């Protein structure tokens, strides 16, 4: 990836399009937003794949990510609570729970921050 400086922030061109990154939301995505998004969506994508392989009937997965940052230490991300709302038919909580644990172990983004950011994952099932 190659980044070019703008008046505020940086930009890069990727296959999907141009990405603007800045410390101010008026000029682009903030770096912490991209990091949290990467972790949450990677984990959700791996989870979706695992649930599909287990032949569970999933209609939808919504992800909410709550972030705890430490202002005293460069506003670093300390914790991310990922909450999945999973919609499907005949879902068994124990199977979803084991799938989430497996997804966490196989998500490259979660594994990349292991030991430096605490990741907590919870879920609820809807019909």
């Amino acid at each position: 990836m190659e980044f070019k400086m703008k008046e505020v922030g940086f930009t890069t061109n990727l296959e999907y399009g141009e990405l603007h990154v800045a410390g101010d939301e008026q000029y682009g995505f903030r770096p912490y937003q991209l990091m949290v998004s990467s972790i949450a969506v990677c984990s959700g994508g791996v989870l979706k794949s695992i649930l599909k392989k287990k032949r569970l009937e999933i209609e939808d997965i919504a992800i909410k990510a709550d972030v705890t940052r430490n202002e005293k230490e460069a506003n670093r991300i300390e914790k991310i609570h990922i909450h999945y709302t999973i919609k499907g038919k005949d879902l068994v909580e124990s199977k979803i729970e084991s799938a989430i644990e497996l997804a966490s172990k196989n998500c490259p983004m979660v594994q990349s921050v292991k030991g430096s950011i605490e990741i907590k994952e919870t879920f609820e099932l809807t019909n």
Side-chain angles (χ1 to χ4, degrees), residues 39 42-47 50 82 84 96-114 117-121:
I39 293 166
C42 175
S43 190
V46 174
L47 175 61
I50 291 168
I82 299 171
Y84 302 101
I96 301 298
E97 197 171 284
S98 67
I100 289 173
E101 289 176 18
L102 187 58
S104 181
K105 292 176 184 174
N106 288 284
C107 170
M109 296 293 96
V110 170
Q111 291 303 308
S112 294
V113 300
K114 188 176 181 179
I117 298 175
E118 180 186 325
I119 309 286
K120 179 182 177 185
E121 293 172 293

Side-chain angles (χ1 to χ4, degrees), residues 10 13 43 54 70-71 76 93 114 121:
F10 291 82
N13 286 301
S43 190
K54 290 182 178 256
N70 186 336
E71 291 180 19
R76 71 185 292 274
E93 284 194 19
K114 188 176 181 179
E121 293 172 293

Side-chain angles (χ1 to χ4, degrees), residues 31-47:
Y32 95 90
Q33 292 171 323
L34 295 171
M35 178 173 269
V36 173
S37 297
S38 295
I39 293 166
V41 173
C42 175
S43 190
V46 174
L47 175 61

Side-chain angles (χ1 to χ4, degrees), residues 4 11 22 30 34 42 53-54 68 71 79 85 121:
K4 296 189 181 199
T11 185
R30 295 181 65 197
L34 295 171
C42 175
K53 286 179 184 175
K54 290 182 178 256
T68 302
E71 291 180 19
K79 299 176 187 174
T85 301
E121 293 172 293

Side-chain angles (χ1 to χ4, degrees), residues 1-15:
M1 296 173 73
E2 184 177 319
F3 296 87
K4 296 189 181 199
M5 187 175 75
K6 303 187 318 182
E7 188 173 324
V8 178
F10 291 82
T11 185
T12 188
N13 286 301
L14 304 169
E15 288 179 29

